[in-house]
Amino acid sequence: MFASKLISNSTAAGRKSSAFVATYDVAVGRNSYFSTPTTRRNSTTPTTTTIDSSGFDKIGCVGLGLMGHGICQVAATSGVHSKIIAFEQEQRFLDSGNDRILKSIDKLVEKGKLTLDDANDAMGRTEFTTDMDALRDVDLVVEAVIENIDLKKDLYTSLGEICKPETIFASNTSSLSIGEMAAFSGRPDRFLGVHFFNPVQLMKVVEVIKTDDTDPIVLEKGLKWVEEIGKVSVLCGDTPGFIVNRILVPMLMQSMSLIDRKDASVKDIDVAMKLGCGHPMGPLHLADYIGLDTCYFIVSGWMEKYPDESDFFIPACLQANIEAGNLGRKTGKGFYHWEGEKRGDPVY
Ligand code: 3HC
């Protein structure tokens, strides 16, 4: 396999020109609608753009789980950074993140979507470490650790002390408040959200989240960076679920309510939404794919914070799956049976 030919870690290889990176067709993305410099119509955006590039030479990726490994990989293969510091607190999580990146890169090389040289360059630019001090002089930290606000607050307190004052922090949280985390970083003006989608390697959009305190230049840098790594940015304020999850997660809950009421089967709900709405996966398939624990965590957090919002509720079948330890793809059972990455028959 190609992974055996990949260098897992080495001195930094040459930096690619940004022209190489700009391969994604952004016809419907920011380049066409928001060419620079421009005046923007959306009140959540600054009025003008003033920068040509993010200027992020060296970046840090904190957390190499499901989302974090993908973000690290996409940043590394984009070729725009001289160095990517991939950080996990524990060696076993660092190793599994490294392994996930190698497996995904292997797939891309095998399918001819990435050359072996580019794959080796990407891995050569990536330093895997459990030493937080290595993040001291990065220009950007992208954080994708587990969704625990207390853990994130502690992390940002430490990062705020360790990183140089200019370092910008960006959280990949899917449902927590960016402002709440920013307050613990000691640099709320240099803090934003960058919310990627699973699988990060394939999903093209990234939500960029600003708070009232985010410096407009920091926001511009965040938007530019998303474009530089080959994704399309959309901008949103610091509101629960941002754009996608605010629409998607209540839809997932509604699909589970149909199950609770025995109105339709798992298979028919998914077929209906695939063929009726053109979704690539039906909602129950997607819930399993995301992880039922993640869905549960998002909604229960919102219910606690916004008890009057009727869209935020936990269907009985989700509750039952959680209690039984059936979390979807990751445990082999949820609304479907799973064999690794392969979805099997519906459970009911
Ligand atoms: N790395 C590299 N390659 C990968 C990969 C990865 N991580 N994952 C899949 N691939 C490859 C596959 O090998 C396959 O390659 P091939 O076409 O050459 O055989 C290709 O990508 C397509 O994969 P599949 O054949 O498995 O299946 P699909 O064509 O159905 O595409 C999908 C998969 C892109 C996941 C598509 O089904 C899809 O778009 N599903 C919806 C996903 C979605 O909605 N994500 C958002 C979830 S919400 C979220 O993330 C927010 C969070 O906060 C909760």
Side-chain angles (χ1 to χ4, degrees):
M1 291 294 281
F2 292 93
S4 60
K5 295 187 201 141
L6 287 170
I7 45 173
S8 60
N9 197 356
S10 74
T11 52
R15 232 176 131 192
K16 271 183 244 150
S17 74
S18 55
F20 169 82
V21 180
T23 51
Y24 179 62
D25 176 7
V26 287
V28 294
R30 189 155 298 278
N31 275 354
S32 57
Y33 289 124
F34 301 102
S35 55
T36 54
T38 188
T39 300
R40 294 190 174 163
R41 288 152 296 181
N42 186 329
S43 62
T44 60
T45 67
T47 50
T48 53
T49 52
T50 53
I51 55 168
D52 294 329
S53 78
S54 70
F56 299 153
D57 179 39
K58 187 171 172 183
I59 73 159
C61 293
V62 172
L64 297 181
L66 181 66
M67 302 302 284
H69 88 276
I71 298 169
C72 181
Q73 178 184 331
V74 165
T77 55
S78 74
V80 294
H81 304 297
S82 69
K83 190 105 189 156
I84 296 103
I85 307 289
F87 169 82
E88 268 285 0
Q89 214 142 18
E90 289 184 41
Q91 189 64 42
R92 63 194 170 117
F93 295 130
L94 191 71
D95 292 343
S96 72
N98 192 338
D99 197 46
R100 273 173 143 160
I101 293 174
L102 285 174
K103 281 200 178 110
S104 171
I105 280 186
D106 238 9
K107 240 190 240 179
L108 297 173
V109 171
E110 207 173 316
K111 293 185 191 309
K113 291 180 179 161
L114 187 70
T115 69
L116 190 58
D117 281 351
D118 286 344
N120 273 321
D121 281 355
M123 293 312 284
R125 282 188 291 268
T126 309
E127 179 185 327
F128 291 86
T129 181
T130 54
D131 178 10
M132 199 184 264
D133 264 359
L135 297 163
R136 189 175 291 281
D137 64 345
V138 297
D139 302 306
L140 170 74
V141 169
V142 187
E143 166 270 313
V145 304
I146 58 165
E147 294 279 72
N148 176 317
I149 190 71
D150 294 327
L151 190 145
K152 294 210 193 220
K153 283 175 180 173
D154 286 350
L155 174 69
Y156 281 115
T157 304
S158 302
L159 287 172
E161 287 162 7
I162 287 171
C163 294
K164 63 182 179 182
E166 302 80 28
T167 305
I168 292 169
F169 294 162
S171 176
N172 177 62
T173 184
S174 55
S175 63
L176 301 175
S177 157
I178 300 293
E180 224 174 297
M181 285 179 263
F184 283 81
S185 67
R187 55 187 80 189
D189 55 329
R190 270 156 290 139
F191 203 111
L192 38 78
V194 285
H195 183 218
F196 288 76
F197 294 86
N198 182 25
V200 174
Q201 293 88 344
L202 305 187
M203 303 308 279
K204 285 294 178 191
V205 85
V206 178
E207 293 172 321
V208 177
I209 319 302
K210 73 179 282 278
T211 72
D212 290 344
D213 293 322
T214 308
D215 184 314
I217 292 292
V218 169
L219 178 61
E220 286 301 322
K221 284 176 175 238
L223 292 166
K224 272 273 179 246
W225 178 68
V226 168
E227 194 183 290
E228 286 165 357
I229 61 169
K231 303 286 187 193
V232 173
S233 61
V234 290
L235 187 58
C236 188
D238 190 12
T239 181
F242 316 130
I243 300 172
V244 173
N245 280 349
R246 183 66 181 81
I247 297 169
L248 176 70
V249 174
M251 185 194 76
L252 301 184
M253 297 306 122
Q254 284 297 340
S255 69
M256 294 176 201
S257 283
L258 283 162
I259 297 290
D260 282 354
R261 296 194 302 268
K262 299 186 172 36
D263 284 333
S265 67
V266 169
K267 180 168 163 272
D268 284 351
I269 292 167
D270 279 352
V271 168
M273 292 306 285
K274 273 183 77 170
L275 302 186
C277 292
H279 291 188
M281 284 176 176
L284 298 167
H285 179 183
L286 182 58
D288 269 9
Y289 185 80
I290 293 169
L292 299 186
D293 52 341
T294 303
C295 298
Y296 184 89
F297 174 84
I298 292 174
V299 183
S300 49
W302 287 348
M303 282 169 69
E304 210 177 299
K305 239 174 153 181
Y306 310 98
D308 298 330
E309 176 55 76
S310 61
D311 273 354
F312 303 158
F313 65 95
I314 295 186
C317 61
L318 177 59
Q319 184 73 42
N321 268 319
I322 296 295
E323 283 169 14
N326 297 330
L327 309 182
R329 179 176 56 149
K330 68 178 83 166
T331 60
K333 190 174 170 187
F335 290 101
Y336 289 89
H337 295 283
W338 289 80
E339 266 180 45
E341 297 291 306
K342 200 170 169 324
R343 199 201 75 187
D345 291 332
V347 171
Y348 45 88

